[in-house]
Amino acid sequence: MQISFFEEFPNQNNLTKLKLISFQTKLYLAAKSVKEFQILKSQIKNKRVKEVIYWPILENKEGYWISPWSKRKALKRIFAELQEPKNQNLPVMLDLELPFRRNPWLFITQKANFFSNKKLIRDFINNHSGEVYLAEYYPEGKFKGGMMKFFGLHYTSKKNHKVKVIKMLYHSLHPFKKEFLTKELQRGKQEFGNNYLLAFGTIAKGINGNEPLLRPEQLQQDLQLAKEIGIKEVIIFRLGGMDKEYLKIIKALIR
């Protein structure tokens, strides 16, 4: 099972945690432009990092995350940059979340752009030449999953086989029961196969600044369940929270 990491704040202190990594990994780096991403990527010297994926983020006033309620001008800027010939094969992760805590006024100002923004996102997912990773809200069953699709937060693509779905399954934020998780993960695995990935955490605070931290014992249980179901890749939020205790659990699971 591939263990990868998100890093929302790729500063020197957080990237230094790569020194702890002694196994092959992937890194999803947040940046506000491809140029910024390439500069950050060039600073990563650990040969255990086999791939670095661009995670575009917006300004807070633009919505920060990607959704049909993000500022249209910002979405067009991000996608236009990725359509440039030199960037067309770049692996990209879209963090599909609502701008509640960043700029809730966008629900009003972007209401008229909802459907056109949704189409803009869907067209990018369908047509981007590189791999596209979609970080989506945790699974809630078929009905709520359908609602998420309508609101432009979950996507499927029959046109682009390179699309991978990441379900953000943060046990530190939600009291998921094992029976529910097992059922949903099996359903996701059946629907998406090896393109179904999981995100676990949080082992460090994110942009909201108040995220509770995941107990090491819970991380162990989450990883074990993912391994039993046959999930090919798990991404941990985030690299900056790595310590020897978490590392010991991860290394035991990937032997």
Side-chain angles (χ1 to χ4, degrees), residues 6 28 53-56 65-67 92-98 121 125 132-139 148 152-155 163-170 195 197-200 235 237:
F6 292 124
Y28 296 72
I53 292 92
Y54 173 40
W55 167 7
W65 299 290
I66 303 295
S67 82
V92 179
M93 187 197 78
L94 303 184
D95 191 355
L96 300 165
E97 300 187 50
L98 296 170
I121 296 168
I125 292 168
V132 178
Y133 297 82
L134 305 176
E136 300 179 348
Y137 286 126
Y138 58 87
M148 291 290 186
L153 300 172
H154 289 183
Y155 293 85
V163 174
K164 300 180 186 297
V165 172
I166 304 169
K167 291 298 183 181
M168 294 183 285
L169 199 55
Y170 297 152
N195 288 334
L197 315 182
L198 299 177
F200 291 152
I235 307 143
F237 185 94

Side-chain angles (χ1 to χ4, degrees), residues 37-51:
F37 167 75
Q38 295 291 12
I39 291 172
L40 291 166
K41 183 180 176 181
S42 69
Q43 297 172 5
I44 297 171
K45 307 300 182 183
N46 189 330
K47 294 182 179 180
R48 300 287 185 177
V49 180
K50 66 178 186 179
E51 187 176 10

Side-chain angles (χ1 to χ4, degrees), residues 183-194 196 229:
K183 181 180 178 181
E184 288 298 319
L185 298 192
Q186 288 172 339
R187 185 171 66 85
K189 175 72 174 175
Q190 184 177 15
E191 181 177 359
F192 298 105
N194 289 338
Y196 183 68
I229 292 176

Side-chain angles (χ1 to χ4, degrees), residues 2-7 18 21 23-29 53 55 203 233-242 246-247 250:
Q2 169 76 58
I3 303 294
S4 307
F5 295 93
F6 292 124
E7 187 43 69
L18 286 171
I21 307 302
F23 50 88
Q24 287 224 324
T25 191
K26 292 166 60 179
L27 196 56
Y28 296 72
L29 287 185
I53 292 92
W55 167 7
I203 67 170
E233 182 180 354
V234 168
I235 307 143
I236 295 176
F237 185 94
R238 59 183 171 82
L239 177 68
M242 277 294 291
Y246 288 126
L247 182 63
I250 294 170

